[in-house]
Amino acid sequence: MSRDEHVAVYRIEGLSCSSCAKKFEDNVNHISSVSNAKVNFGAATLTVCGIATIQDLEKAGSFDHLQLVPKHEQFEKKAWYKQRQYQQLLLSTVFLLSGFITHMIDGEHSQFGILFYILATLIGGSTLFVEGIKNLIQLRFDMTTLMTIAILGAFAIGEWSEGATVVILFAISETLERFSIDRARKSIRSLVDLSPKEAWIRKDGEEKCVPIYDVEVGDICIIKAGQKIAMDGRVIKGVSSVNQSAITGESIPVVKQLGDEVFAGTLNEDGYLEVEVSKKATDTTLSKIIQLVEEAQANRAPSQAFIDQFAKYYTPAILILAILLAVVPPFFQGNWLTWIYRGLTVLVVGCPCALVISTPVAIVTSIGNAARNGVLIKGGVYLEELSAIQTVAFDKTGTLTQGKPEVTDFLSFTDKNERSLLEIAMTLESGSTHPLAAAITRYANERLIIPQENVESFQSHTGKGVEGILYGIRHFLGSPSWFENKLTPEVTSKITSYQQKGKTVVLLGTEKEILGGFAIADQPREKSKQVIQELNRVGVEHIVMLTGDNEQTAKGIAHHLGIKEVKSDLMPEGKQHYLKSLRDTGISVAMVGDGVNDAPALAVSHVGIAMGGAGSDTALETADMVLMADDLEKLPFAIRLSRFTKRIIGQNITVALGLKLLALLLIIPGMLTLWLAVFADMGATVLVTFNALRLLRSK
């Protein structure tokens, strides 16, 4: 595709089976003005490279009555009785019942009865026959081919009522399938519906309502209480509680005030806000989530790829089995009509609908449900990988901890008072951006300490600390290793005791002595310990913490959280090497980090999990899975969901194949009729779909 080539995305209404999706994709690719087309079955979208009208595209999908609209538009809701497929189904059902009644009155060979059955078949199965005969000519064997042969064969041997009944039941089956697939896609469509289609903006002193795609970066959006926020942006006026559950999965509203970031699709609950727009409608966080979820559903899981490959050989095998059953036994027993009938029944039973749909419907439902709960999983492959995770590795800072160090203890080793020492420390650190410096500055500010204006000969030493001359004396503020030759047993003992509690010690001293210091800790997140326990309960027994902190501090935090294994003093490449060594031993490992510093480690793990994707483009792009809020509790939920999904897929495949096998065994002794075969196929399809819909209930 060239850079300048026209690309359009459409939503599809009525797409109910993956084989139909493939056929539709092939048909669109045969349009001369289209260079490439791709159908995403899970999201029910079509991406077209080239120029094609909606009429051309709908013509390509006429075999399944598909309708299309541009991606950002909504389908016009029609009452069911106004839709053509339902009108055809209703009319053909009337003719079928008329045929039954006529036969009951005039006998089995009534010409009027046969006419009614033919009309019922032509009206209810017209699309089916057209596609089936086309496929037969092209030697393409799919569901429509099998059904067409079976129905025409039934008419050929005089089974008029059964042939017509098969058509009607097949149409009902497709209707139920379409309904259940739409339920599965409900999770994505609910995301699409979250964002308002219009926004109130103030421009040139005038307030007006405009479509969101006309809003520009820098425009001022006005959001009143009870309204949804239409665009991503920054609050420039007002204070309000905003419900962000649509983006982050958090149920508790967050207070937004001057300078805070807000997201499209979230709800302004009780205040007035003015927001300066920071992203266009196509680039908002919600738009990216929807796009990534839809792309995720197009990424096939390993089990789905296997089923697709299996179905490729399964359908021709069923056709061969039907021919053998119809031809071989009569050579030995005679009774050709009976065995031809049974062969036709094999064709109906052999339709691979339930089998082909068993996996994608579960993947679609699971990924959609996860997105609604603030967990973005980028494909079926990661969903399946997550279910098999044996080890979870956590970055410490900002993941298990809050990422904001705070002074917990002040240390004094001299007779100078705390305020004078704080004044020296704050003055030395006032120009530094280091997180530990910020912690000391905040601690001093809370005690109303004012720094001195001038520090003479100020120097910063990377990895050690800072120094400068105050009151004519050279002062040093930094790590204990910098003061190694001045450490007394008393000071060393104090430092060790704090480090064992997971705290970092910063010392203040002169060239002659140590004056005091600060014990600083990056406090663990409130729920980190609970999450570690929950992961153990769901069967993830090997949990390791990776950090660049020193060993004593790292072990102190790990002990508090209940983590047994710690790897400390690691640079980003060190984390990557450690995870690679785990992978090389065959262990399935997930890495949880912030998506920026931990990008190498996230990339090498089986599943890279980024924290706080809301507002972070890097996290959304680099990780395989994103926890949209800084909420680790979503991780055990995601693992449970992935395992539930894998169980559902296993159950669906077992049910689909098991019912097919049972039905095939019942055909040989003649215990299954054509229309009962359709019931078996329809039952299996509906059963696996509704079984997959159980995933919507996972919270």
Side-chain angles (χ1 to χ4, degrees):
M1 182 183 73
S2 69
R3 184 180 297 178
D4 298 327
E5 189 170 13
H6 182 264
V7 178
V9 182
Y10 301 90
R11 299 205 172 275
I12 310 168
E13 181 88 345
L15 191 65
S16 59
C17 71
S18 53
S19 59
C20 300
K22 184 70 176 72
K23 187 185 296 183
F24 179 45
E25 182 178 291
D26 290 342
N27 290 350
V28 175
N29 274 313
H30 280 107
I31 297 174
S32 59
S33 57
V34 171
S35 64
N36 187 37
K38 190 73 179 172
V39 172
N40 181 334
F41 170 69
T45 59
L46 168 70
T47 303
V48 177
C49 301
I51 304 294
T53 65
I54 285 183
Q55 289 75 19
D56 291 336
L57 298 174
E58 288 186 341
K59 185 178 178 183
S62 60
F63 66 91
D64 206 23
H65 307 294
L66 301 182
Q67 293 178 293
L68 290 92
V69 294
K71 186 176 181 178
H72 301 299
E73 292 184 17
Q74 299 294 319
F75 283 101
E76 180 188 348
K77 296 294 180 184
K78 287 184 182 178
W80 69 270
Y81 56 84
K82 291 183 179 178
Q83 296 178 40
R84 188 174 67 171
Q85 64 264 37
Y86 293 113
Q87 292 172 343
Q88 287 179 310
L89 177 58
L90 191 61
L91 186 57
S92 57
T93 303
V94 169
F95 281 123
L96 178 67
L97 293 175
S98 301
F100 282 143
I101 294 167
T102 306
H103 268 170
M104 286 169 58
I105 296 171
D106 296 341
E108 197 172 320
H109 300 290
S110 166
Q111 296 300 311
F112 278 111
I114 292 172
L115 178 61
F116 284 135
Y117 289 137
I118 291 172
L119 287 172
T121 304
L122 291 175
I123 293 169
S126 57
T127 312
L128 170 70
F129 291 139
V130 170
E131 286 304 310
I133 290 167
K134 270 187 196 173
N135 290 343
L136 199 55
I137 293 168
Q138 297 168 5
L139 296 179
R140 253 186 5 187
F141 300 105
D142 64 4
M143 176 182 63
T144 57
T145 316
L146 298 183
M147 292 298 291
T148 300
I149 295 170
I151 294 162
L152 293 177
F155 282 1
I157 62 174
E159 295 290 346
W160 302 101
S161 61
E162 294 227 10
T165 304
V166 165
V167 169
I168 305 303
L169 290 177
F170 181 71
I172 293 171
S173 169
E174 283 200 311
T175 301
L176 288 172
E177 193 177 321
R178 189 175 288 113
F179 168 76
S180 51
I181 285 290
D182 280 345
R183 282 289 307 276
R185 292 187 181 122
K186 185 180 177 184
S187 297
I188 309 175
R189 291 192 177 161
S190 64
L191 287 175
V192 175
D193 293 340
L194 280 172
S195 182
K197 302 299 176 281
E198 296 177 321
W200 279 93
I201 66 166
R202 181 185 296 123
K203 209 165 189 176
D204 302 325
E206 181 187 353
E207 290 183 11
K208 54 184 176 180
C209 185
V210 299
I212 58 171
Y213 295 103
D214 292 341
V215 179
E216 299 291 334
V217 173
D219 284 351
I220 306 302
C221 262
I222 297 164
I223 306 105
K224 297 176 183 176
Q227 291 181 339
K228 280 186 178 178
I229 296 171
M231 308 292 293
D232 280 13
R234 184 177 56 85
V235 176
I236 59 170
K237 184 178 180 181
V239 178
S240 181
S241 293
V242 175
N243 186 331
Q244 298 190 139
S245 59
I247 300 293
T248 65
E250 298 169 288
S251 56
I252 300 171
V254 178
V255 174
K256 297 290 183 179
Q257 51 194 350
L258 188 66
D260 287 343
E261 194 174 11
V262 293
F263 308 109
T266 57
L267 179 66
N268 178 25
E269 292 203 332
D270 53 24
Y272 172 84
L273 292 175
E274 290 188 11
V275 172
E276 183 181 353
V277 176
S278 61
K279 295 177 182 177
K280 289 191 171 185
T282 51
D283 299 324
T284 64
T285 299
L286 180 60
S287 295
K288 285 186 177 178
I289 292 171
I290 293 167
Q291 180 185 345
L292 288 168
V293 169
E294 290 180 343
E295 287 173 358
Q297 291 173 333
N299 295 332
R300 297 186 299 174
S303 58
Q304 187 176 343
F306 166 75
I307 289 297
D308 289 348
Q309 193 67 18
F310 178 78
K312 201 164 146 185
Y313 299 101
Y314 167 86
T315 308
I318 286 292
L319 185 60
I320 292 168
L321 177 62
I323 293 169
L324 290 175
L325 192 64
V327 173
V328 175
F331 274 115
F332 301 99
Q333 297 181 3
N335 204 352
W336 284 86
L337 287 181
T338 298
W339 287 104
I340 289 173
Y341 179 85
R342 291 177 188 176
L344 296 174
T345 309
V346 167
L347 292 179
V348 174
V349 164
C351 283
C353 299
L355 183 62
V356 171
I357 210 170
S358 59
T359 301
V361 71
I363 298 293
V364 168
T365 308
S366 188
I367 289 176
N369 182 23
R372 287 173 62 197
N373 282 281
V375 179
L376 181 59
I377 303 172
K378 289 192 178 178
V381 61
Y382 304 117
L383 192 64
E384 287 201 10
E385 287 273 19
L386 192 62
S387 69
I389 289 299
Q390 300 163 279
T391 295
V392 176
F394 286 96
D395 170 52
K396 179 182 79 71
T397 306
T399 301
L400 290 171
T401 64
Q402 295 173 6
K404 187 180 178 183
E406 298 291 348
V407 174
T408 59
D409 303 272
F410 175 76
L411 291 68
S412 179
F413 302 110
T414 182
D415 55 3
K416 286 189 177 182
N417 64 49
E418 181 180 347
R419 289 191 67 84
S420 63
L421 293 179
L422 272 177
E423 185 180 287
I424 295 168
M426 186 181 186
T427 303
L428 286 170
E429 293 286 36
S430 58
S432 175
T433 57
H434 193 280
L436 297 182
I440 293 170
T441 303
R442 281 194 300 273
Y443 183 78
N445 278 330
E446 288 166 4
R447 284 150 185 79
L448 305 177
I449 303 298
I450 300 172
Q452 295 296 304
E453 288 187 9
N454 296 312
V455 180
E456 295 178 26
S457 305
F458 177 84
Q459 293 181 58
S460 176
H461 302 273
T462 304
K464 293 181 178 180
V466 295
E467 66 171 285
I469 297 174
L470 278 168
Y471 311 116
I473 301 171
R474 184 172 294 278
H475 289 84
F476 302 84
L477 184 68
S479 67
S481 61
W482 204 18
F483 294 85
E484 195 170 0
N485 60 346
K486 301 182 187 67
L487 294 176
T488 65
E490 177 200 355
V491 173
T492 302
S493 174
K494 278 257 187 181
I495 291 170
T496 303
S497 68
Y498 282 116
Q499 287 179 338
Q500 286 173 344
K501 295 174 186 175
K503 300 181 181 182
T504 299
V505 176
V506 175
L507 295 179
L508 173 65
T510 66
E511 291 174 318
K512 295 180 180 179
E513 62 178 336
I514 295 174
L515 302 174
F518 305 88
I520 301 173
D522 183 4
Q523 300 296 335
R525 289 177 183 268
E526 189 179 331
K527 296 175 181 176
S528 290
K529 188 173 184 178
Q530 180 184 335
V531 168
I532 300 301
Q533 292 170 347
E534 186 63 25
L535 286 173
N536 287 327
R537 277 196 289 272
V538 300
V540 181
E541 295 179 358
H542 185 210
I543 296 172
V544 59
M545 185 176 82
L546 310 179
T547 179
D549 271 356
N550 67 71
E551 186 177 359
Q552 290 282 7
T553 301
K555 282 186 173 177
I557 297 235
H559 178 73
H560 173 76
L561 296 176
I563 297 174
K564 295 175 184 175
E565 187 175 349
V566 180
K567 299 294 177 185
S568 55
D569 299 306
L570 292 177
M571 297 295 281
E573 58 269 22
K575 297 177 185 179
Q576 182 186 29
H577 292 323
Y578 173 74
L579 293 176
K580 189 174 184 301
S581 68
L582 284 180
R583 280 195 67 150
D584 291 344
T585 60
I587 294 173
S588 184
V589 59
M591 170 69 192
V592 188
D594 61 13
V596 183
N597 298 330
D598 298 310
L602 291 172
V604 80
S605 58
H606 287 92
V607 183
I609 304 168
M611 291 281 291
S616 169
D617 290 345
T618 306
L620 287 173
E621 288 163 10
T622 58
D624 307 318
M625 176 176 141
V626 184
L627 309 179
M628 296 305 295
D630 281 342
D631 186 358
L632 280 174
E633 279 190 308
K634 302 291 184 184
L635 181 55
F637 155 74
I639 291 174
R640 284 195 302 270
L641 179 65
S642 69
R643 290 178 179 174
F644 187 24
T645 305
K646 195 166 184 180
R647 286 200 305 275
I648 291 288
I649 289 171
Q651 291 167 5
N652 280 357
I653 292 172
T654 303
V655 166
L657 288 176
L659 283 177
K660 296 289 182 193
L661 183 60
L662 178 62
L664 288 170
L665 291 174
L666 291 175
I667 288 170
I668 296 171
M671 296 173 66
L672 205 70
T673 61
L674 270 174
W675 62 273
L676 278 176
V678 179
F679 262 126
D681 179 64
M682 177 172 68
T685 303
V686 172
L687 198 58
V688 300
T689 307
F690 277 93
N691 188 42
L693 292 179
R694 291 165 57 206
L695 289 161
L696 287 174
R697 298 206 305 269
S698 290
K699 301 294 182 187

